[in-house]
């Protein structure tokens, strides 16, 4: 088997979304004098993430456009009516704090450099082109990827096989010649494996196994129901498992 290309997830795979989200919300709540309204920043974040998921579902279903969804998210988060300009201004102030905390994981550029001469690269995300293209440009890596495909424009999202196959079709390669790297074991890992791709689950520090124990987990924290995927703790392990033409890092002990 020869792997010719790597398709990447973005958030919490190459982009440290969790850290940026936490730092951005903390800074924004402090600036808006809203910290006293929550028992903790984590509680505020949980509320914001729930609302984000709700509005994303509405956007994906075509019920609202992008701007309407984020204004409604602000209104629900604050629990009060706001005019469109008021809600938009609040969101843009939050966005400033959030974007100031954007960063790649430190293992991203080294692995992209190592694989640059041996593999093609693309992105598949359960977001929108508008969001992820901007993010990749701000992070300075948009030119590393031949294409950026997102669920909002595709009309289908991971873990559906159609989403993964769309990424392979954009590369004009069959699924078995394409690796997919993502942080979510079911949505990314199992979804890509079921679609016939070489599936790699990046589980940094075993966070998911430690913080969300699964009663169906096998030794090492990998759920028994997950099959056909390779688990790594760092992207430094990736080139070694993609094939004999790359030599960087050591094979994962999680595989």
């Amino acid at each position: 088997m020869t792997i010719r290309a790597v398709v990447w997830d973005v958030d919490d795979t190459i982009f440290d979304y969790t850290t940026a989200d936490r730092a951005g919300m903390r800074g924004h709540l402090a600036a808006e004098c809203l910290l006293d309204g929550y028992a903790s920043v984590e509680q505020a974040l949980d509320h914001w993430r729930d609302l984000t998921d709700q509005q994303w579902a509405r956007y994906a279903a075509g019920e609202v456009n992008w701007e309407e969804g984020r204004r409604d998210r602000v209104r629900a988060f604050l629990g009060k009516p706001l005019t469109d300009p008021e809600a938009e201004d609040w969101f843009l102030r939050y966005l400033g704090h959030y974007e100031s905390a954007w960063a790649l994981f430190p293992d991203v550029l080294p692995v992209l450099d190592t694989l640059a001469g041996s593999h093609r690269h693309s992105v598949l995300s359960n977001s929108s082109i508008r969001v992820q293209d901007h993010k990749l440009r701000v992070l300075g890596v948009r030119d590393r990827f031949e294409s950026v495909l997102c669920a909002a424009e595709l009309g289908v999202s991971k873990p559906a096989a159609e989403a993964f196959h769309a990424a392979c079709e954009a590369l004009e390669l069959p699924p078995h010649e394409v690796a997919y790297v993502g942080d979510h074991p079911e949505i990314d890992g199992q979804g890509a494996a079921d679609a016939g791709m070489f599936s790699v689950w990046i589980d940094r520090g075993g966070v998911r196994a430690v913080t969300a124990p699964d009663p169906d987990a096998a030794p090492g924290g990998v759920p028994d129901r997950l099959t056909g995927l390779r688990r790594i703790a760092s992207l430094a392990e990736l080139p070694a498992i993609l094939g004999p033409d790359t030599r960087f890092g050591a094979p994962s002990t999680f595989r």
Side-chain angles (χ1 to χ4, degrees), residues 39-112:
S40 66
V41 174
E42 286 302 323
Q43 184 187 63
L45 273 175
D46 288 343
H47 187 201
W48 182 250
R49 288 168 181 162
D50 288 344
L51 293 171
T52 299
D53 291 343
Q54 292 171 23
Q55 295 303 324
W56 172 255
R58 294 179 66 211
Y59 171 71
E63 297 176 10
V64 294
N65 63 34
W66 187 256
E67 291 77 11
E68 291 168 340
R70 72 184 191 183
R71 290 194 293 263
D72 286 347
R73 191 188 340 168
V74 170
R75 294 181 181 109
F77 183 76
L78 296 177
K80 62 181 182 181
L82 296 173
T83 66
D84 283 355
E86 287 172 339
E88 191 69 19
D89 286 346
W90 194 95
F91 185 87
L92 291 176
R93 294 196 300 273
Y94 154 73
L95 199 61
H97 291 284
Y98 171 51
E99 289 195 10
S100 70
W102 282 6
L104 297 169
F105 285 104
D107 54 4
V108 172
L109 291 179
V111 76
L112 288 176

Side-chain angles (χ1 to χ4, degrees), residues 179-229:
Y180 189 82
V181 182
D183 70 291
H184 196 288
E186 285 90 3
I187 294 174
D188 295 317
Q190 196 60 55
D194 291 344
M197 300 174 74
F198 185 92
S199 179
V200 182
W201 168 29
I202 173 71
D203 184 24
R204 299 179 184 279
V207 172
R208 289 188 181 274
V210 172
T211 60
D214 191 321
D216 299 322
V222 180
D224 287 333
R225 66 179 178 275
L226 301 180
T227 59
L229 59 147

Side-chain angles (χ1 to χ4, degrees), residues 118-189:
S118 57
H119 294 78
R120 298 163 62 195
H121 298 273
S122 182
V123 162
L124 173 64
S125 169
N126 272 2
S127 183
S128 72
I129 292 291
R130 176 173 182 170
V131 171
Q132 300 298 42
D133 187 83
H134 170 66
K135 186 182 296 173
L136 294 170
R137 291 183 189 281
V138 170
L139 294 169
V141 292
R142 176 60 184 88
D143 61 347
R144 303 287 191 123
F145 305 103
E146 292 184 25
S147 59
V148 177
L149 280 71
C150 293
E153 290 74 27
L154 287 174
V156 63
S157 59
K158 302 175 295 182
E162 292 86 351
F164 295 101
H165 290 164
C168 296
E169 290 167 7
L171 292 164
E172 299 184 340
L173 291 172
H176 67 270
E177 293 184 0
V178 183
Y180 189 82
V181 182
D183 70 291
H184 196 288
E186 285 90 3
I187 294 174
D188 295 317

